[in-house]
Amino acid sequence: MEKITDQLSRRKFLLTASASAIGSVVLKSCASTPTTSSTPTAAGSPAATGSPAANVSGGSGPETTTLRLGYIPIFEAAPLIIAQEKGFFKKYGMTDVKVMKQASWGAARDNVEIGTAGGGIDGGQWQMPMPHLISEGLITKGKTKLPMYVLLQTSTHGNGIAIANKRAAGDISHLGQGIGLDMSKAKGHLEKLKATGTPFTAAYTFPSANQELWLRYWLAAGGINPDEDVKLIVVPAAQTVANMKSGSMDGFSTGDPWPYRILADNIGFMAALTADIWPNHPEEYLAIRADWVDKNPNATKAVLKAVMEAQQWCDDAANLPELAKILSGREFLNVADSILLPPLQGKYDMGDGKAAVSDRMKGPLYWKDGKGSVSYPYKSHDMWFLAENIRWGMIPDTTDIKAIVDKVNREDIWKEAAKSLGVTDIPKETSRGVETFFDGTKFDSNDTTAYLKGLKVKKVKI
Ligand code: CA
């Protein structure tokens, strides 16, 4: 299925005007290497210090200075891009780190399997639970297990579900049909579409991960069965706007700035922000191949310190215009900074008669959110993503998800790096506690069975 949609998307890519936005996508062998590299500024600039790595990493320099990290051109990648562009990798002795744009999540998966030695990547930005599924050989070629470590959360929020104003075929309007956070109000509209043989079609960017899970959670909370009442398809993030424009897709879930583009281009509206579906929810993560991390423990900590510093930089409101400017670069998101800045500031026009949102805490956050650390990778959050995979029959309900999380999640390395960086408020528990969703559902990672039992709409029989 993934292959077919990739082909379809590629065809659309050739046909649409937005092609230029995707034109800069680079494949595995040609890195997105900005020739002017870092833009260190003024005094105290990271790169200007030139201090030997041994000094900044506490007497033990990195085993290697080379690392290749993949990223997808959405806000979640900002800490990786900023760590490179503002010279934070260099500051911690990692003088040869390159962030490399990936054509799709599938391409990122393929490239991490190849590894840097083969012209691929060592790790990078991931939706969840991709690192766990790769580690278990569930989404790799030939089902080969490729152990990976989850090391840090790059960001929270900054995602939304966008809906087309209308569908090209059949002259169907989605405006004024009750499509919003509470989808029970749109049930009649979706039932009508299903009855005509053309069910509501929504897209996500990679199967079994964040975007599909947000869509499914949102629909199911409104009493809509995502496997029976609608059609879900895969479309790479950068092509979502084009596909919506062509009228071939009713809605999609993806990272900013793509949902916002829908409004800016006047082709649709926002149904919901993921910040409303699950306030302070986990979003995307930095994960690297376990063989690289095991071989290069000091380099790993140096990388983490660089990304942590970048996250703090990204969360400083004073830096947002510069962040938008850097991300707007052709080699990165390749979207005007005037489009990027409002969502970075938590400003969202929702459309379809909904009140606009202007709340910084609902935009993407990189270091701190309403509940504390964004950067720290809570094991309880990994557990939710895997529990949802069980919920929808993506992995067997007999899967020992706790054992997988204990193997893949290396919050211990995050803590060591944070301590060495001088971070004082380090989470004490690997669980953030009981989580509450917009519909009142609660998730306790210590009892995923109770969570699954309590859900009304699901595929798993429990
Ligand atoms: Ca995302």
Side-chain angles (χ1 to χ4, degrees), residues 1 104 142-143 146 226 244 246 266 280 347 356 362 387 390 397 399 408 414 422:
M1 174 173 168
S104 66
K143 306 267 176 203
L146 175 66
M244 190 92 107
S246 70
N266 196 28
N280 308 304
K347 291 177 186 164
K362 287 194 178 179
I390 289 178
D397 61 356
T399 310
V408 176
W414 186 97

Side-chain angles (χ1 to χ4, degrees), residues 74-76 105 125-128 155 157-160 205 210-211 214 253-256 274 281-284:
I74 48 179
F75 282 171
E76 288 86 332
W105 293 105
Q125 165 201 2
W126 303 98
Q127 292 194 77
M128 291 290 256
S155 65
H157 295 169
N159 282 241
T205 49
N210 297 43
Q211 309 308 339
W214 300 145
S253 167
T254 189
D256 284 330
T274 52
H281 65 81
E283 185 52 38
E284 287 172 19

Side-chain angles (χ1 to χ4, degrees), residues 379 383 386 399-408 445-446:
K379 286 188 175 182
M383 290 290 286
L386 286 167
T399 310
D400 186 351
I401 58 176
K402 189 179 177 299
I404 297 175
V405 171
D406 284 338
K407 218 165 30 184
V408 176
S445 64
N446 293 317

